[in-house]
Amino acid sequence: MLRAMLKVIAPVSLFCLSFPALALVPPDYQEPPSDFTAEVEAGLQLNTGNTESSSFNGRTQLIYDTKQTKQEATLKAYFASEKNQTTSEKYELQLQSNYKLTKGYIFGRGDFTWDQFGSYTQISTLSSGYGFNAINSYKTKLSLEVGPGYRYNLPAESVSEPDPAAEKDVILRTAAKFSQKLQEYTSINADLTAEVGENNNTLTLDMNYKNLVFQDWAFKIGMNIKYTEVVPEGSKQTDTVTTFNLLYTFR
């Protein structure tokens, strides 16, 4: 008799205990949106046969966005080799901190580039200023930034200048950041940055097309074009980098 009662009481007790839990956590419950977002992307190319070459590029972006501030860090890496010899090695680090106001925001930014085979082996830019969102809708976003800064360029060594002197310049930096959602799973992004200084001027266009293929996975085509008005002798004024990457987003 006692065993029979226990067999009846036990399932009923478990049901009663589980019912409040179901009431507190409904089946369609979703975690609240996080202030932290991370993106990791990479692309690899290998050529064999008549031409033996390989190239790799990677990008990691971390964003912490709250009601009062926004912190953003981006690290990019480019590497290429041909016949077991390195032909390209470049690293870029971008840091920006925004303090939000009633209208717009105040920012502080640092851009750092190390390029072993570039016309400038080291480029460091520090800037600050004011930015605001000119357009901020679900499909279209456009933000504009302007402010003073300081730029440090170290030219690459050459036969005529084996020990070149660093170039230091006070600049005015302006930037436009545009994002357009074409469809639910596709978007275009373009950042245009101009740095005007007494000794040198630069213009950089960084644009990409992103297509979501599965949940948090996306295919991304990117192009970075940078024009530098004054470059060391024997160097080209325009540098272009095209990437085809697979991207994953952490939320």
Side-chain angles (χ1 to χ4, degrees):
M1 182 68 178
L2 179 60
R3 291 183 178 179
M5 293 178 63
L6 290 175
K7 288 181 179 181
V8 174
I9 292 173
V12 173
S13 300
L14 291 174
F15 176 77
C16 293
L17 289 173
S18 61
F19 182 76
L22 291 174
L24 292 174
V25 183
D28 59 347
Y29 173 78
Q30 295 182 353
E31 291 289 340
S34 173
D35 296 331
F36 176 78
T37 304
E39 290 184 351
V40 178
E41 66 179 82
L44 178 65
Q45 178 178 320
L46 298 174
N47 297 328
T48 59
N50 294 324
T51 302
E52 296 182 2
S53 64
S54 63
S55 63
F56 168 82
N57 75 89
R59 171 182 168 273
T60 300
Q61 184 181 54
L62 306 176
I63 299 177
Y64 185 67
D65 192 358
T66 64
K67 293 183 178 180
Q68 197 65 47
T69 63
K70 181 179 181 181
Q71 318 296 334
E72 184 175 342
T74 304
L75 176 63
K76 301 178 182 180
Y78 305 92
F79 175 84
S81 64
E82 186 171 352
K83 295 182 180 179
N84 298 324
Q85 291 186 351
T86 302
T87 57
S88 176
E89 186 175 355
K90 181 179 179 181
Y91 305 94
E92 295 180 358
L93 176 62
Q94 300 166 352
L95 304 171
Q96 181 160 335
S97 178
N98 298 346
Y99 181 79
K100 300 177 183 179
L101 306 173
T102 305
K103 293 184 178 180
Y105 55 90
I106 298 173
F107 72 88
R109 182 179 177 91
D111 294 86
F112 309 94
T113 301
W114 298 269
D115 191 352
Q116 184 177 353
F117 297 91
S119 56
Y120 290 97
T121 58
Q122 182 177 340
I123 303 174
S124 302
T125 304
L126 298 175
S127 60
S128 62
Y130 175 76
F132 67 97
N133 297 320
I135 303 175
N136 190 17
S137 64
Y138 173 73
K139 287 190 174 182
T140 307
K141 298 182 184 299
L142 174 64
S143 62
L144 305 175
E145 296 177 352
V146 61
Y150 173 81
R151 182 175 57 209
Y152 171 93
N153 291 349
L154 182 62
E157 297 180 0
S158 62
V159 178
S160 58
E161 292 189 28
D163 187 18
E167 302 173 2
K168 304 174 183 179
D169 207 358
V170 176
I171 64 168
L172 176 67
R173 176 183 175 274
T174 58
K177 302 179 180 181
F178 175 76
S179 176
Q180 177 66 47
K181 213 172 182 55
L182 301 178
Q183 296 177 355
E184 184 64 24
Y185 302 109
T186 59
S187 62
I188 290 179
N189 303 279
D191 295 349
L192 182 63
T193 304
E195 296 179 1
V196 179
E198 182 179 357
N199 301 319
N200 206 348
N201 303 318
T202 64
L203 183 65
T204 304
L205 174 62
D206 191 359
M207 59 187 304
N208 64 76
Y209 168 82
K210 185 166 60 175
N211 183 27
L212 189 67
V213 292
F214 178 73
Q215 292 184 351
D216 296 325
W217 291 93
F219 176 69
K220 181 179 175 183
I221 302 175
M223 178 174 288
N224 183 280
I225 305 173
K226 182 175 182 179
Y227 172 81
T228 304
E229 185 176 4
V230 180
V231 295
E233 184 179 354
S235 301
K236 296 182 179 180
Q237 292 178 304
T238 303
D239 289 321
T240 303
V241 178
T242 305
T243 57
F244 302 88
N245 292 350
L246 190 63
L247 180 146
Y248 182 78
T249 303
F250 300 86
R251 301 183 186 277

